[in-house]
Amino acid sequence: MIAPEKAHRLTICALKSGMIGCGQVRDKVLQRSISGLDFSNPLGLAAGFDKNAEIPNAALKLGFGFMEVGTVTPMPQVGNASPRLFRLVRNGAIINRMGFNNEGHELIHRRLVKRDRKSRLVGINIGANKDSKDWVADYVEGINCFYDVADYFTINISSPNTPGLRDLQIRNNLCILLDAVLEARGQQEKKIERFCPIFLKIAPDLTEKELDDIALEVLSSKLDGLIISNTTFSRVGVQEHKQARESGGMSGIPLFQSSTIVLAKMRKRVGTLPIIGVGGVYNAKTALEKIMAGADLVQLYSSLIYQGPRIAADILQQLIAICHKDGVKSIAEYCNYHVEKWADRKI
């Protein structure tokens, strides 16, 4: 079996060469408009796949309506020592402790400037360097650096692989961060004369009180939406696997339950604020359930690794068939059907 990071590198190279592409799946029933952006379909590729903006347009040719580059930090960062990526194949799960490995703002910005922006939407997922003396300043620098090339931003404060980073989810810290980031957005909006939405990506490992605090802070700000959720410290569903003892965040199928519960709980707290649901999506059923639990859009990543490049096209075709069978004119009609069912469950 090819080592996970080597396999990932080979996939990036194949996409870069143009060897892989599944074409676009188009149907008006899939279109969504969120936070001032028009999405051709609600299925996105989450951050982590194309950390360095090597193949955003090639990834979009797999059928995704949008994708995220990153997580990107101001200075290049090698991340944690290898091995740091583990496949739990029979569970459809992945554990990683990559540590924001990326090539830094300058190089990644140069690549994105050259991108043909007639393609679908690309978000920039920004983070902080592990050894930075001012993490808030790193996020502000990300807004300033990428504002001219980003369709939207994701503020990633929920990775479990940078010690202390999740403390930015504490309300007082979050208030300081959001104030700084949104002020930077305001300055860039005046300078470039273009509005760029900002989403906050939170963890699934939060208490009800922590969800309350985040919701209150978000609603008191001009933040444009949430992404729920990042990877989890939990090993529920994979306890028997020998690699479950590895440190890092777990993604994939076992994350579906907890991430969807948090999604629904936050939907009840934030009202109509846009939410992107991510965690454990691997087919049309799970994608649609995220929407029913409160998501406006959904993302996947781990299932792409296990199912291959046709996953987006397959899911979208199945969603179209479901919509047509049910006689709905827009997939948005499914939104929030099952919020109460999921929100009533314990975290």
Side-chain angles (χ1 to χ4, degrees), residues 202-208 211 228-229 236 253-269 275 277-280 286 289-295 338-347:
I202 66 173
D205 310 308
L206 294 165
T207 66
E208 296 275 4
L211 294 180
I228 305 171
S229 68
V236 172
I253 292 173
L255 180 58
F256 181 80
Q257 294 285 328
S258 61
S259 63
T260 307
I261 291 169
V262 173
L263 162 64
K265 288 179 181 293
M266 286 302 282
R267 170 54 73 207
K268 291 193 69 174
R269 286 168 166 83
I275 297 178
V278 55
T286 47
E289 194 61 34
K290 287 283 188 188
I291 293 170
M292 290 182 170
H338 293 165
V339 169
E340 295 295 337
K341 180 184 82 170
W342 285 97
D344 286 344
R345 300 183 185 183
K346 292 183 179 180
I347 296 176

mmCIF file of all heavy atoms in Angstrom, residues 202-208 211 228-229 236 253-269 275 277-280 286 289-295 338-347:
data_model
loop_
_atom_site.group_PDB
_atom_site.id
_atom_site.type_symbol
_atom_site.label_atom_id
_atom_site.label_comp_id
_atom_site.label_asym_id
_atom_site.label_seq_id
_atom_site.Cartn_x
_atom_site.Cartn_y
_atom_site.Cartn_z
ATOM 1 N N ILE A 202 -15.461 25.871 13.370
ATOM 2 C CA ILE A 202 -15.392 25.485 14.780
ATOM 3 C C ILE A 202 -15.241 23.975 14.930
ATOM 4 O O ILE A 202 -15.442 23.210 13.988
ATOM 5 C CB ILE A 202 -16.614 25.988 15.572
ATOM 6 C CG1 ILE A 202 -17.902 25.304 15.094
ATOM 7 C CG2 ILE A 202 -16.722 27.501 15.465
ATOM 8 C CD1 ILE A 202 -19.116 25.627 15.959
ATOM 9 N N ALA A 203 -14.912 23.572 16.140
ATOM 10 C CA ALA A 203 -14.657 22.163 16.448
ATOM 11 C C ALA A 203 -15.953 21.437 16.792
ATOM 12 O O ALA A 203 -16.937 22.052 17.195
ATOM 13 C CB ALA A 203 -13.686 22.067 17.628
ATOM 14 N N PRO A 204 -15.946 20.098 16.683
ATOM 15 C CA PRO A 204 -17.100 19.314 17.135
ATOM 16 C C PRO A 204 -17.032 18.980 18.615
ATOM 17 O O PRO A 204 -18.007 18.490 19.180
ATOM 18 C CB PRO A 204 -16.996 18.047 16.292
ATOM 19 C CG PRO A 204 -15.517 17.865 16.099
ATOM 20 C CD PRO A 204 -14.945 19.257 16.007
ATOM 21 N N ASP A 205 -15.890 19.238 19.234
ATOM 22 C CA ASP A 205 -15.656 18.849 20.632
ATOM 23 C C ASP A 205 -15.956 20.012 21.572
ATOM 24 O O ASP A 205 -15.103 20.447 22.337
ATOM 25 C CB ASP A 205 -14.206 18.386 20.803
ATOM 26 C CG ASP A 205 -13.803 17.357 19.765
ATOM 27 O OD1 ASP A 205 -14.522 16.358 19.617
ATOM 28 O OD2 ASP A 205 -12.781 17.561 19.077
ATOM 29 N N LEU A 206 -17.176 20.526 21.506
ATOM 30 C CA LEU A 206 -17.557 21.685 22.299
ATOM 31 C C LEU A 206 -18.742 21.337 23.203
ATOM 32 O O LEU A 206 -19.590 20.526 22.842
ATOM 33 C CB LEU A 206 -17.947 22.848 21.376
ATOM 34 C CG LEU A 206 -16.815 23.426 20.514
ATOM 35 C CD1 LEU A 206 -17.393 24.304 19.403
ATOM 36 C CD2 LEU A 206 -15.837 24.237 21.366
ATOM 37 N N THR A 207 -18.799 21.983 24.354
ATOM 38 C CA THR A 207 -19.918 21.783 25.268
ATOM 39 C C THR A 207 -21.082 22.688 24.862
ATOM 40 O O THR A 207 -20.921 23.611 24.044
ATOM 41 C CB THR A 207 -19.508 22.126 26.708
ATOM 42 O OG1 THR A 207 -19.222 23.535 26.783
ATOM 43 C CG2 THR A 207 -18.283 21.322 27.142
ATOM 44 N N GLU A 208 -22.240 22.451 25.465
ATOM 45 C CA GLU A 208 -23.391 23.307 25.198
ATOM 46 C C GLU A 208 -23.084 24.765 25.571
ATOM 47 O O GLU A 208 -23.447 25.695 24.848
ATOM 48 C CB GLU A 208 -24.604 22.813 25.995
ATOM 49 C CG GLU A 208 -25.104 21.432 25.611
ATOM 50 C CD GLU A 208 -26.062 21.440 24.434
ATOM 51 O OE1 GLU A 208 -26.286 22.518 23.848
ATOM 52 O OE2 GLU A 208 -26.590 20.364 24.098
ATOM 53 N N LEU A 211 -20.919 26.299 22.929
ATOM 54 C CA LEU A 211 -21.730 26.621 21.752
ATOM 55 C C LEU A 211 -22.527 27.898 21.989
ATOM 56 O O LEU A 211 -22.649 28.741 21.088
ATOM 57 C CB LEU A 211 -22.661 25.465 21.418
ATOM 58 C CG LEU A 211 -22.013 24.156 20.960
ATOM 59 C CD1 LEU A 211 -23.087 23.108 20.670
ATOM 60 C CD2 LEU A 211 -21.134 24.352 19.732
ATOM 61 N N ILE A 228 -19.110 23.950 10.173
ATOM 62 C CA ILE A 228 -19.234 22.991 11.274
ATOM 63 C C ILE A 228 -19.138 21.583 10.711
ATOM 64 O O ILE A 228 -20.021 21.151 9.982
ATOM 65 C CB ILE A 228 -20.573 23.166 12.005
ATOM 66 C CG1 ILE A 228 -20.742 24.631 12.488
ATOM 67 C CG2 ILE A 228 -20.695 22.202 13.156
ATOM 68 C CD1 ILE A 228 -22.125 24.936 13.029
ATOM 69 N N SER A 229 -18.039 20.824 10.951
ATOM 70 C CA SER A 229 -17.034 21.150 11.926
ATOM 71 C C SER A 229 -15.658 20.689 11.433
ATOM 72 O O SER A 229 -15.544 20.069 10.371
ATOM 73 C CB SER A 229 -17.345 20.421 13.240
ATOM 74 O OG SER A 229 -17.152 19.005 13.041
ATOM 75 N N VAL A 236 -14.690 7.718 19.128
ATOM 76 C CA VAL A 236 -15.923 6.939 19.115
ATOM 77 C C VAL A 236 -16.113 6.326 17.729
ATOM 78 O O VAL A 236 -16.039 7.014 16.708
ATOM 79 C CB VAL A 236 -17.139 7.818 19.471
ATOM 80 C CG1 VAL A 236 -18.437 7.044 19.260
ATOM 81 C CG2 VAL A 236 -17.034 8.307 20.904
ATOM 82 N N ILE A 253 -16.180 9.010 8.171
ATOM 83 C CA ILE A 253 -17.520 8.532 8.518
ATOM 84 C C ILE A 253 -17.834 8.601 10.016
ATOM 85 O O ILE A 253 -18.933 9.028 10.396
ATOM 86 C CB ILE A 253 -17.728 7.105 7.968
ATOM 87 C CG1 ILE A 253 -17.771 7.144 6.432
ATOM 88 C CG2 ILE A 253 -19.006 6.484 8.513
ATOM 89 C CD1 ILE A 253 -17.816 5.779 5.772
ATOM 90 N N PRO A 254 -16.908 8.211 10.929
ATOM 91 C CA PRO A 254 -17.256 8.264 12.361
ATOM 92 C C PRO A 254 -17.543 9.670 12.889
ATOM 93 O O PRO A 254 -18.125 9.821 13.963
ATOM 94 C CB PRO A 254 -16.022 7.664 13.045
ATOM 95 C CG PRO A 254 -15.373 6.820 11.992
ATOM 96 C CD PRO A 254 -15.600 7.575 10.719
ATOM 97 N N LEU A 255 -17.140 10.686 12.156
ATOM 98 C CA LEU A 255 -17.365 12.064 12.580
ATOM 99 C C LEU A 255 -18.779 12.552 12.246
ATOM 100 O O LEU A 255 -19.227 13.580 12.777
ATOM 101 C CB LEU A 255 -16.329 12.989 11.922
ATOM 102 C CG LEU A 255 -16.372 14.490 12.214
ATOM 103 C CD1 LEU A 255 -16.255 14.773 13.701
ATOM 104 C CD2 LEU A 255 -15.278 15.220 11.439
ATOM 105 N N PHE A 256 -19.491 11.822 11.402
ATOM 106 C CA PHE A 256 -20.782 12.306 10.912
ATOM 107 C C PHE A 256 -21.756 12.631 12.050
ATOM 108 O O PHE A 256 -22.376 13.694 12.064
ATOM 109 C CB PHE A 256 -21.414 11.302 9.953
ATOM 110 C CG PHE A 256 -22.730 11.763 9.393
ATOM 111 C CD1 PHE A 256 -22.762 12.659 8.339
ATOM 112 C CD2 PHE A 256 -23.931 11.334 9.929
ATOM 113 C CE1 PHE A 256 -23.974 13.118 7.827
ATOM 114 C CE2 PHE A 256 -25.146 11.783 9.430
ATOM 115 C CZ PHE A 256 -25.164 12.671 8.366
ATOM 116 N N GLN A 257 -21.897 11.717 13.004
ATOM 117 C CA GLN A 257 -22.887 11.904 14.061
ATOM 118 C C GLN A 257 -22.605 13.154 14.892
ATOM 119 O O GLN A 257 -23.468 14.018 15.043
ATOM 120 C CB GLN A 257 -22.915 10.663 14.970
ATOM 121 C CG GLN A 257 -23.404 9.402 14.293
ATOM 122 C CD GLN A 257 -24.916 9.390 14.081
ATOM 123 O OE1 GLN A 257 -25.663 9.951 14.883
ATOM 124 N NE2 GLN A 257 -25.355 8.771 13.012
ATOM 125 N N SER A 258 -21.407 13.244 15.443
ATOM 126 C CA SER A 258 -21.112 14.362 16.351
ATOM 127 C C SER A 258 -21.114 15.701 15.624
ATOM 128 O O SER A 258 -21.615 16.707 16.145
ATOM 129 C CB SER A 258 -19.776 14.140 17.056
ATOM 130 O OG SER A 258 -18.711 14.062 16.123
ATOM 131 N N SER A 259 -20.568 15.737 14.410
ATOM 132 C CA SER A 259 -20.529 17.007 13.673
ATOM 133 C C SER A 259 -21.929 17.459 13.275
ATOM 134 O O SER A 259 -22.228 18.661 13.265
ATOM 135 C CB SER A 259 -19.634 16.885 12.442
ATOM 136 O OG SER A 259 -20.140 15.939 11.518
ATOM 137 N N THR A 260 -22.811 16.514 12.987
ATOM 138 C CA THR A 260 -24.178 16.864 12.591
ATOM 139 C C THR A 260 -24.998 17.318 13.798
ATOM 140 O O THR A 260 -25.838 18.214 13.685
ATOM 141 C CB THR A 260 -24.849 15.682 11.876
ATOM 142 O OG1 THR A 260 -24.007 15.238 10.803
ATOM 143 C CG2 THR A 260 -26.195 16.083 11.294
ATOM 144 N N ILE A 261 -24.748 16.723 14.952
ATOM 145 C CA ILE A 261 -25.405 17.177 16.181
ATOM 146 C C ILE A 261 -25.015 18.625 16.488
ATOM 147 O O ILE A 261 -25.877 19.469 16.780
ATOM 148 C CB ILE A 261 -25.043 16.256 17.362
ATOM 149 C CG1 ILE A 261 -25.694 14.877 17.185
ATOM 150 C CG2 ILE A 261 -25.475 16.876 18.698
ATOM 151 C CD1 ILE A 261 -25.191 13.830 18.160
ATOM 152 N N VAL A 262 -23.725 18.923 16.425
ATOM 153 C CA VAL A 262 -23.258 20.288 16.681
ATOM 154 C C VAL A 262 -23.824 21.249 15.637
ATOM 155 O O VAL A 262 -24.220 22.381 15.952
ATOM 156 C CB VAL A 262 -21.720 20.341 16.722
ATOM 157 C CG1 VAL A 262 -21.231 21.786 16.815
ATOM 158 C CG2 VAL A 262 -21.196 19.539 17.905
ATOM 159 N N LEU A 263 -23.878 20.805 14.394
ATOM 160 C CA LEU A 263 -24.464 21.615 13.325
ATOM 161 C C LEU A 263 -25.900 22.015 13.669
ATOM 162 O O LEU A 263 -26.271 23.197 13.598
ATOM 163 C CB LEU A 263 -24.426 20.815 12.016
ATOM 164 C CG LEU A 263 -25.335 21.258 10.867
ATOM 165 C CD1 LEU A 263 -24.949 22.630 10.366
ATOM 166 C CD2 LEU A 263 -25.293 20.244 9.735
ATOM 167 N N ALA A 264 -26.704 21.044 14.026
ATOM 168 C CA ALA A 264 -28.114 21.330 14.331
ATOM 169 C C ALA A 264 -28.263 22.217 15.568
ATOM 170 O O ALA A 264 -29.118 23.119 15.604
ATOM 171 C CB ALA A 264 -28.872 20.017 14.521
ATOM 172 N N LYS A 265 -27.456 21.954 16.583
ATOM 173 C CA LYS A 265 -27.513 22.780 17.785
ATOM 174 C C LYS A 265 -27.153 24.236 17.479
ATOM 175 O O LYS A 265 -27.769 25.176 18.014
ATOM 176 C CB LYS A 265 -26.591 22.198 18.859
ATOM 177 C CG LYS A 265 -27.122 20.908 19.488
ATOM 178 C CD LYS A 265 -26.169 20.354 20.529
ATOM 179 C CE LYS A 265 -26.693 19.064 21.137
ATOM 180 N NZ LYS A 265 -27.918 19.251 21.945
ATOM 181 N N MET A 266 -26.165 24.423 16.619
ATOM 182 C CA MET A 266 -25.795 25.787 16.249
ATOM 183 C C MET A 266 -26.832 26.418 15.337
ATOM 184 O O MET A 266 -27.089 27.632 15.422
ATOM 185 C CB MET A 266 -24.413 25.805 15.605
ATOM 186 C CG MET A 266 -23.284 25.610 16.598
ATOM 187 S SD MET A 266 -23.248 26.864 17.919
ATOM 188 C CE MET A 266 -22.515 28.248 17.055
ATOM 189 N N ARG A 267 -27.473 25.636 14.499
ATOM 190 C CA ARG A 267 -28.538 26.188 13.661
ATOM 191 C C ARG A 267 -29.639 26.791 14.538
ATOM 192 O O ARG A 267 -30.149 27.886 14.256
ATOM 193 C CB ARG A 267 -29.106 25.108 12.742
ATOM 194 C CG ARG A 267 -30.379 25.485 11.985
ATOM 195 C CD ARG A 267 -30.226 26.782 11.200
ATOM 196 N NE ARG A 267 -29.394 26.636 10.038
ATOM 197 C CZ ARG A 267 -28.695 27.629 9.490
ATOM 198 N NH1 ARG A 267 -28.712 28.837 10.036
ATOM 199 N NH2 ARG A 267 -27.960 27.427 8.416
ATOM 200 N N LYS A 268 -29.993 26.095 15.604
ATOM 201 C CA LYS A 268 -31.023 26.617 16.502
ATOM 202 C C LYS A 268 -30.562 27.893 17.195
ATOM 203 O O LYS A 268 -31.380 28.760 17.519
ATOM 204 C CB LYS A 268 -31.398 25.557 17.533
ATOM 205 C CG LYS A 268 -32.140 24.359 16.958
ATOM 206 C CD LYS A 268 -32.747 23.502 18.045
ATOM 207 C CE LYS A 268 -33.890 24.188 18.739
ATOM 208 N NZ LYS A 268 -34.588 23.320 19.712
ATOM 209 N N ARG A 269 -29.268 28.019 17.423
ATOM 210 C CA ARG A 269 -28.737 29.178 18.145
ATOM 211 C C ARG A 269 -28.552 30.401 17.245
ATOM 212 O O ARG A 269 -28.657 31.530 17.732
ATOM 213 C CB ARG A 269 -27.400 28.814 18.793
ATOM 214 C CG ARG A 269 -27.534 27.915 20.030
ATOM 215 C CD ARG A 269 -26.166 27.358 20.416
ATOM 216 N NE ARG A 269 -26.150 26.775 21.749
ATOM 217 C CZ ARG A 269 -26.541 25.543 22.048
ATOM 218 N NH1 ARG A 269 -26.999 24.750 21.074
ATOM 219 N NH2 ARG A 269 -26.484 25.089 23.286
ATOM 220 N N ILE A 275 -24.583 28.384 7.218
ATOM 221 C CA ILE A 275 -23.725 27.350 7.792
ATOM 222 C C ILE A 275 -23.319 26.368 6.697
ATOM 223 O O ILE A 275 -24.150 25.919 5.908
ATOM 224 C CB ILE A 275 -24.433 26.572 8.920
ATOM 225 C CG1 ILE A 275 -24.786 27.484 10.081
ATOM 226 C CG2 ILE A 275 -23.546 25.426 9.417
ATOM 227 C CD1 ILE A 275 -25.537 26.781 11.219
ATOM 228 N N GLY A 277 -21.878 22.643 6.375
ATOM 229 C CA GLY A 277 -21.739 21.423 7.159
ATOM 230 C C GLY A 277 -20.677 20.507 6.586
ATOM 231 O O GLY A 277 -20.672 20.236 5.381
ATOM 232 N N VAL A 278 -19.798 20.035 7.448
ATOM 233 C CA VAL A 278 -18.730 19.139 6.996
ATOM 234 C C VAL A 278 -18.449 18.123 8.094
ATOM 235 O O VAL A 278 -18.543 18.423 9.276
ATOM 236 C CB VAL A 278 -17.454 19.945 6.620
ATOM 237 C CG1 VAL A 278 -16.995 20.816 7.773
ATOM 238 C CG2 VAL A 278 -16.326 19.037 6.172
ATOM 239 N N GLY A 279 -18.121 16.901 7.666
ATOM 240 C CA GLY A 279 -17.811 15.847 8.621
ATOM 241 C C GLY A 279 -18.587 14.582 8.316
ATOM 242 O O GLY A 279 -19.787 14.505 8.579
ATOM 243 N N GLY A 280 -17.928 13.611 7.706
ATOM 244 C CA GLY A 280 -18.540 12.315 7.479
ATOM 245 C C GLY A 280 -19.432 12.209 6.266
ATOM 246 O O GLY A 280 -20.141 11.216 6.101
ATOM 247 N N THR A 286 -25.954 11.194 3.128
ATOM 248 C CA THR A 286 -25.323 11.961 4.214
ATOM 249 C C THR A 286 -25.227 13.441 3.859
ATOM 250 O O THR A 286 -25.347 14.306 4.739
ATOM 251 C CB THR A 286 -23.934 11.398 4.550
ATOM 252 O OG1 THR A 286 -23.184 11.190 3.341
ATOM 253 C CG2 THR A 286 -24.055 10.079 5.289
ATOM 254 N N GLU A 289 -28.660 14.778 4.471
ATOM 255 C CA GLU A 289 -28.969 14.830 5.903
ATOM 256 C C GLU A 289 -28.313 16.040 6.561
ATOM 257 O O GLU A 289 -28.883 16.647 7.473
ATOM 258 C CB GLU A 289 -28.538 13.541 6.587
ATOM 259 C CG GLU A 289 -29.095 13.357 7.984
ATOM 260 C CD GLU A 289 -30.616 13.302 8.029
ATOM 261 O OE1 GLU A 289 -31.231 12.784 7.075
ATOM 262 O OE2 GLU A 289 -31.202 13.791 9.022
ATOM 263 N N LYS A 290 -27.105 16.397 6.120
ATOM 264 C CA LYS A 290 -26.479 17.625 6.632
ATOM 265 C C LYS A 290 -27.360 18.836 6.338
ATOM 266 O O LYS A 290 -27.550 19.716 7.192
ATOM 267 C CB LYS A 290 -25.106 17.832 5.981
ATOM 268 C CG LYS A 290 -24.013 16.908 6.440
ATOM 269 C CD LYS A 290 -23.449 17.295 7.791
ATOM 270 C CE LYS A 290 -22.224 16.447 8.103
ATOM 271 N NZ LYS A 290 -21.755 16.641 9.487
ATOM 272 N N ILE A 291 -27.902 18.879 5.137
ATOM 273 C CA ILE A 291 -28.773 19.991 4.754
ATOM 274 C C ILE A 291 -30.027 19.986 5.617
ATOM 275 O O ILE A 291 -30.464 21.029 6.118
ATOM 276 C CB ILE A 291 -29.105 19.905 3.256
ATOM 277 C CG1 ILE A 291 -27.829 20.160 2.428
ATOM 278 C CG2 ILE A 291 -30.196 20.893 2.879
ATOM 279 C CD1 ILE A 291 -27.983 19.876 0.951
ATOM 280 N N MET A 292 -30.598 18.813 5.828
ATOM 281 C CA MET A 292 -31.792 18.719 6.658
ATOM 282 C C MET A 292 -31.510 19.078 8.117
ATOM 283 O O MET A 292 -32.396 19.552 8.832
ATOM 284 C CB MET A 292 -32.368 17.305 6.573
ATOM 285 C CG MET A 292 -32.990 16.972 5.234
ATOM 286 S SD MET A 292 -33.692 15.305 5.242
ATOM 287 C CE MET A 292 -34.600 15.313 3.686
ATOM 288 N N ALA A 293 -30.263 18.876 8.543
ATOM 289 C CA ALA A 293 -29.887 19.200 9.922
ATOM 290 C C ALA A 293 -29.517 20.666 10.102
ATOM 291 O O ALA A 293 -29.217 21.088 11.216
ATOM 292 C CB ALA A 293 -28.724 18.315 10.366
ATOM 293 N N GLY A 294 -29.536 21.438 9.000
ATOM 294 C CA GLY A 294 -29.307 22.867 9.144
ATOM 295 C C GLY A 294 -28.245 23.480 8.266
ATOM 296 O O GLY A 294 -27.999 24.684 8.345
ATOM 297 N N ALA A 295 -27.588 22.677 7.407
ATOM 298 C CA ALA A 295 -26.531 23.214 6.554
ATOM 299 C C ALA A 295 -27.114 23.838 5.289
ATOM 300 O O ALA A 295 -28.060 23.314 4.705
ATOM 301 C CB ALA A 295 -25.542 22.115 6.180
ATOM 302 N N HIS A 338 -34.746 18.325 9.619
ATOM 303 C CA HIS A 338 -34.427 17.443 10.738
ATOM 304 C C HIS A 338 -33.628 18.145 11.840
ATOM 305 O O HIS A 338 -32.933 17.480 12.603
ATOM 306 C CB HIS A 338 -33.646 16.219 10.248
ATOM 307 C CG HIS A 338 -34.440 15.303 9.376
ATOM 308 N ND1 HIS A 338 -33.858 14.321 8.587
ATOM 309 C CD2 HIS A 338 -35.778 15.194 9.176
ATOM 310 C CE1 HIS A 338 -34.806 13.668 7.935
ATOM 311 N NE2 HIS A 338 -35.976 14.182 8.263
ATOM 312 N N VAL A 339 -33.716 19.455 11.916
ATOM 313 C CA VAL A 339 -32.938 20.186 12.920
ATOM 314 C C VAL A 339 -33.277 19.709 14.320
ATOM 315 O O VAL A 339 -32.375 19.416 15.128
ATOM 316 C CB VAL A 339 -33.160 21.705 12.791
ATOM 317 C CG1 VAL A 339 -32.567 22.426 14.006
ATOM 318 C CG2 VAL A 339 -32.528 22.232 11.529
ATOM 319 N N GLU A 340 -34.540 19.614 14.633
ATOM 320 C CA GLU A 340 -34.940 19.230 15.987
ATOM 321 C C GLU A 340 -34.459 17.828 16.333
ATOM 322 O O GLU A 340 -33.984 17.577 17.455
ATOM 323 C CB GLU A 340 -36.463 19.307 16.129
ATOM 324 C CG GLU A 340 -37.037 20.706 15.986
ATOM 325 C CD GLU A 340 -36.603 21.651 17.088
ATOM 326 O OE1 GLU A 340 -36.227 21.161 18.176
ATOM 327 O OE2 GLU A 340 -36.641 22.878 16.869
ATOM 328 N N LYS A 341 -34.559 16.920 15.380
ATOM 329 C CA LYS A 341 -34.139 15.539 15.611
ATOM 330 C C LYS A 341 -32.677 15.466 16.029
ATOM 331 O O LYS A 341 -32.322 14.765 16.990
ATOM 332 C CB LYS A 341 -34.352 14.702 14.344
ATOM 333 C CG LYS A 341 -33.927 13.235 14.499
ATOM 334 C CD LYS A 341 -34.064 12.494 13.167
ATOM 335 C CE LYS A 341 -32.872 12.721 12.254
ATOM 336 N NZ LYS A 341 -32.888 11.831 11.076
ATOM 337 N N TRP A 342 -31.839 16.215 15.331
ATOM 338 C CA TRP A 342 -30.397 16.183 15.630
ATOM 339 C C TRP A 342 -30.059 17.034 16.848
ATOM 340 O O TRP A 342 -29.203 16.667 17.658
ATOM 341 C CB TRP A 342 -29.602 16.645 14.413
ATOM 342 C CG TRP A 342 -29.535 15.636 13.325
ATOM 343 C CD1 TRP A 342 -30.323 15.543 12.208
ATOM 344 C CD2 TRP A 342 -28.643 14.505 13.266
ATOM 345 N NE1 TRP A 342 -29.976 14.447 11.451
ATOM 346 C CE2 TRP A 342 -28.944 13.804 12.079
ATOM 347 C CE3 TRP A 342 -27.629 14.037 14.087
ATOM 348 C CZ2 TRP A 342 -28.255 12.645 11.696
ATOM 349 C CZ3 TRP A 342 -26.946 12.897 13.713
ATOM 350 C CH2 TRP A 342 -27.246 12.201 12.533
ATOM 351 N N ALA A 343 -30.694 18.197 16.965
ATOM 352 C CA ALA A 343 -30.361 19.118 18.057
ATOM 353 C C ALA A 343 -30.738 18.554 19.421
ATOM 354 O O ALA A 343 -30.155 18.943 20.437
ATOM 355 C CB ALA A 343 -31.045 20.462 17.839
ATOM 356 N N ASP A 344 -31.685 17.650 19.466
ATOM 357 C CA ASP A 344 -32.121 17.064 20.737
ATOM 358 C C ASP A 344 -31.157 15.985 21.270
ATOM 359 O O ASP A 344 -31.273 15.537 22.400
ATOM 360 C CB ASP A 344 -33.517 16.446 20.590
ATOM 361 C CG ASP A 344 -34.608 17.498 20.508
ATOM 362 O OD1 ASP A 344 -34.321 18.653 20.862
ATOM 363 O OD2 ASP A 344 -35.730 17.173 20.079
ATOM 364 N N ARG A 345 -30.219 15.594 20.427
ATOM 365 C CA ARG A 345 -29.265 14.556 20.857
ATOM 366 C C ARG A 345 -28.143 15.157 21.706
ATOM 367 O O ARG A 345 -27.790 16.325 21.572
ATOM 368 C CB ARG A 345 -28.669 13.838 19.632
ATOM 369 C CG ARG A 345 -29.735 13.150 18.772
ATOM 370 C CD ARG A 345 -29.088 12.405 17.619
ATOM 371 N NE ARG A 345 -30.121 11.850 16.743
ATOM 372 C CZ ARG A 345 -29.861 11.087 15.680
ATOM 373 N NH1 ARG A 345 -28.623 10.748 15.377
ATOM 374 N NH2 ARG A 345 -30.859 10.640 14.929
ATOM 375 N N LYS A 346 -27.579 14.334 22.581
ATOM 376 C CA LYS A 346 -26.479 14.793 23.423
ATOM 377 C C LYS A 346 -25.193 14.842 22.633
ATOM 378 O O LYS A 346 -24.931 14.005 21.767
ATOM 379 C CB LYS A 346 -26.328 13.855 24.633
ATOM 380 C CG LYS A 346 -27.478 13.931 25.606
ATOM 381 C CD LYS A 346 -27.221 13.029 26.813
ATOM 382 C CE LYS A 346 -28.367 13.114 27.818
ATOM 383 N NZ LYS A 346 -28.131 12.257 28.999
ATOM 384 N N ILE A 347 -24.378 15.826 22.963
ATOM 385 C CA ILE A 347 -23.064 15.946 22.320
ATOM 386 C C ILE A 347 -22.180 14.801 22.766
ATOM 387 O O ILE A 347 -22.109 14.505 23.950
ATOM 388 C CB ILE A 347 -22.394 17.299 22.673
ATOM 389 C CG1 ILE A 347 -23.245 18.458 22.105
ATOM 390 C CG2 ILE A 347 -20.977 17.352 22.118
ATOM 391 C CD1 ILE A 347 -22.730 19.823 22.465
#
